[in-house]
């Protein structure tokens, strides 16, 4: 009995202590209301007059169930009115970039902007402004883009053709006229002048120490003039040490117009694009010939010419044919495969057709494989040339989705955390059907749209979920990182990258001592995992994913028992390039 009473006493004492501690303990902060936080952010965007981001936020809140249909409709009406107001303000201020962005957004939203200029008139006004500022080459490049998209016609560009003719840009004046290139025209007679307008580019990076010995560290490339004021084009990788913030060594840039006896002429980098491997330089030179683009893409088997400084041998011209098109070697857009003989030092040089028109910029070859070389098609240069003239690094856009191109279209494999696609809840297995009203079934089609968009633009996408339900999603494009894979890995993704990099979905099955076991759930056709012979239900042990930024490789090591090999255990290493084109 005494024991029972003591137990009751202890129990009562414990309860009292708990009550006292609860009463005197710290007061826990109130958990913030998620809806309220999001509505405050929405109000901030509306107060700061950012209608496109407000629109994106409203749609996300509605999708997540944080606001109802009526509330969503009320916000949308207010945002639509703000888009119209901000558009007219931009027009009055001659802010053509903002006006065109809002005009395009209104078109995608099927929103009337009341009385105001349409996109074509805005574009022509912008071109007039560039001519008045004597920024002729950016104006010509913008006009070429507008012509290719059908936004303007040749008849609309008489003022620009006249400006080109009066300023001595004969090649551009011919380009801006409706007549096609004359197939009978050949470059033979013009070759001396054309070759004189190509230069050798040297980057002096001081002394490199190897094995205790010092060696001159030089980067050599080629370039060509696109402007009478001394602007010229080359590859980004040739001049990277001049602008790369991670490069800490010595770097000095200069050009030569002739051989080694010619004077060194200092040059500076104006604009650059690491993703398309292009750069715009400026030197105090007045060239005699200006390269301008052809009106059509060269066909397979068509004769082409390259000019450059292979191995430092200045003013070398070589010829060959177009071997293939649409090679997926660039993060955005495709490359042209050529069999023109080129070597180290040709990078950045012009690639011309038989009429002497620019059709590409030489950028790479495959070491140890003679004759397999590549060039950036000239239309990608046209798409970014105006922005490079503005100075600094070209900002590309993205939504943060990794797509697999298969027989059934474009399937999302991975969504980068914090990206527009992640905010819009785009999940694995969703299929991208259209972008800005254009049906898409290949990465080439998607990249051709995105390379011409800029961060901050509104994008209208249609996704099909796994159940077959279609969903229209509006996104405001974010700025694309130089390497989406490195960015995702920096944010902590590792096993999540196995699917987009190697094409296989994996699932953890258990852990024993120091290692975890996995199984392959799914293998996508045509991917690295598929070509390696991996298949669903193959068990394996994880040995690590290593990202090699210097060589741009991702290396996955695993010990696997392939079902196709009778479940015999083997160690394998899968390798994938990290500069891939399926991150959009």
């Amino acid at each position: 009995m005494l024991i029972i009473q003591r137990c009751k006493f202890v129990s009562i004492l414990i309860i009292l202590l708990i009550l006292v501690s609860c009463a005197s303990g710290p007061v826990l902060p109130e958990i913030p209301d998620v809806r309220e936080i999001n509505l405050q952010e929405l109000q901030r965007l509306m107060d700061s007059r950012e209608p496109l981001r407000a629109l994106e936020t409203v749609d996300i809140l509605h999708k997540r169930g944080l606001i109802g249909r009526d509330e969503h409709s009320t916000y949308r009406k207010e945002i639509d009115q703000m888009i119209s107001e901000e558009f007219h303000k931009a027009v009055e201020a001659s802010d053509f970039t903002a006006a065109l962005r809002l005009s395009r957004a209104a078109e995608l939203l099927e929103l009337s902007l009341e009385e105001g200029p349409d996109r074509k008139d805005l574009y022509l006004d912008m071109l007039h402004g560039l001519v008045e500022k004597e920024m002729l080459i950016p104006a010509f490049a913008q006009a070429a883009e507008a012509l290719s998209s059908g936004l303007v016609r040749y008849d609309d560009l008489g003022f620009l053709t006249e400006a080109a003719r009066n300023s001595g840009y004969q090649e551009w004046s011919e380009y801006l006229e409706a007549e096609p290139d004359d197939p009978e025209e050949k470059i033979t007679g013009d070759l001396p002048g054309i070759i004189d307008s190509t230069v050798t580019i040297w980057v002096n990076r001081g002394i490199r120490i190897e094995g205790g010995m010092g060696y001159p560290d030089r980067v050599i490339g080629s370039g060509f003039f696109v402007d009478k004021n001394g602007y010229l084009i080359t590859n980004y990788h040739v001049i990277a040490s001049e602008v790369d913030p991670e490069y800490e060594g010595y770097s000095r840039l200069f050009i030569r117009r002739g051989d080694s006896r010619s004077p060194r002429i200092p040059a500076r980098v104006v604009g650059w694009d690491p993703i398309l491997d292009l750069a715009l330089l400026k030197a105090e030179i007045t060239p005699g010939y200006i390269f301008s683009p052809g009106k059509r893409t060269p066909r397979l088997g068509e004769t082409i010419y390259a000019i450059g400084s292979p191995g430092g041998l200045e003013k070398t011209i070589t010829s060959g044919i177009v071997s293939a098109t649409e090679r997926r070697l660039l993060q955005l857009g495709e490359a042209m495969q050529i069999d023109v003989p080129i070597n180290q030092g040709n990078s950045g040089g012009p690639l011309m057709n038989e009429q002497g028109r620019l059709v590409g910029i030489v950028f790479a070859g495959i070491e140890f494989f003679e004759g397999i070389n590549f060039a950036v098609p000239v239309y990608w240069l046209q798409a970014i040339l105006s922005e490079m003239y503005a100075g600094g690094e070209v900002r590309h856009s993205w939504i943060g989705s990794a797509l697999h191109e298969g027989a059934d279209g474009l399937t999302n494999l991975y969504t980068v955390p914090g990206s527009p696609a992640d905010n819009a809840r785009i999940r694995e297995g969703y299929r991208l059907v259209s972008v800005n009203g254009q049906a898409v079934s290949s990465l080439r089609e998607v990249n051709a749209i995105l390379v011409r968009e800029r961060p901050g633009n509104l994008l209208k996408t249609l996704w099909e979920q796994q159940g077959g339900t279609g969903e229209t999603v509006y996104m405001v494009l974010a700025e694309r990182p130089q390497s989406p894979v490195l960015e995702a890995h920096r944010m902590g993704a590792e096993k999540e990258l196995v699917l987009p990099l190697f094409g296989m979905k994996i699932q953890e099955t258990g852990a024993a001592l120091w290692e975890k076991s996995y199984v392959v759930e799914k293998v996508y056709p045509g991917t690295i995992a598929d070509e390696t012979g991996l298949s669903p239900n193959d068990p394996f042990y994880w040995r690590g994913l290593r990202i090699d930024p210097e060589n741009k490789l991702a290396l996955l090591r695993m010990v696997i028992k392939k079902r196709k090999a009778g479940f015999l255990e083997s160690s394998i290493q899968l390798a994938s390039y990290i500069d891939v084109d399926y991150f959009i």
Side-chain angles (χ1 to χ4, degrees), residues 99-292:
L100 284 165
R101 175 185 292 121
L102 292 166
S103 175
R104 179 57 170 159
E107 183 180 307
L108 295 174
L109 294 166
E110 299 180 359
L111 170 67
S112 173
L113 291 174
E114 302 168 0
E115 294 183 2
D118 58 17
R119 289 181 65 225
K120 175 182 174 180
D121 290 337
L122 284 171
Y123 224 98
L124 291 173
D125 287 344
M126 181 180 67
L127 294 177
H128 275 289
L130 290 172
V131 171
E132 290 175 4
K133 295 176 183 177
E134 297 185 352
M135 298 180 66
L136 295 181
I137 300 302
F140 300 155
Q142 291 271 20
E145 279 288 286
L147 285 169
S148 64
S149 67
L151 184 60
V152 301
R153 300 177 304 175
Y154 286 101
D155 293 344
D156 301 319
L157 300 175
F159 71 97
L160 201 56
T161 306
E162 183 180 357
R165 191 179 297 114
N166 293 340
S167 302
Y169 289 104
Q170 182 63 32
E171 296 82 8
W172 272 108
S173 68
E174 293 172 359
Y175 180 93
L176 295 170
E177 294 174 345
E179 291 77 13
D181 291 342
D182 183 2
E184 301 300 323
E185 180 185 357
K186 303 298 179 183
I187 64 172
T188 307
D190 299 327
L191 270 180
I194 292 174
I195 292 176
D196 280 341
S197 287
T198 60
V199 300
T200 304
I201 296 173
W202 290 85
V203 180
N204 179 2
R205 302 199 302 188
I207 302 297
R208 181 180 70 254
I209 305 299
E210 289 184 4
M213 294 290 293
Y215 299 90
D217 189 2
R218 306 286 186 268
V219 178
I220 184 172
S222 302
F224 57 95
F225 288 99
V226 293
D227 190 322
K228 288 184 179 297
N229 294 314
Y231 290 91
L232 61 152
I233 296 295
T234 188
N235 284 149
Y236 166 78
H237 74 260
V238 174
I239 55 84
S241 59
E242 289 285 298
V243 294
D244 185 354
E246 295 184 4
Y247 180 79
E248 298 178 348
Y250 176 89
S251 182
R252 291 293 182 273
L253 168 66
F254 61 91
I255 65 174
R256 277 195 173 120
R257 299 190 66 179
D259 56 25
S260 59
R261 295 169 296 180
S262 302
R264 297 180 179 184
I265 301 172
R268 60 182 175 89
V269 182
V270 177
W272 62 95
D273 186 342
I275 291 174
L276 289 177
D277 197 16
L278 296 172
L280 178 71
L281 312 183
K282 175 72 166 69
E284 299 306 316
I285 294 176
T286 302
Y289 180 87
I290 299 300
F291 286 83
S292 61

Side-chain angles (χ1 to χ4, degrees), residues 275 331 398 480-488 578-579:
I275 291 174
Q331 284 192 44
W398 84 326
R480 182 186 183 93
Q482 273 195 31
S483 173
V485 173
L486 288 178
E487 178 69 11
I578 60 176
D579 282 351

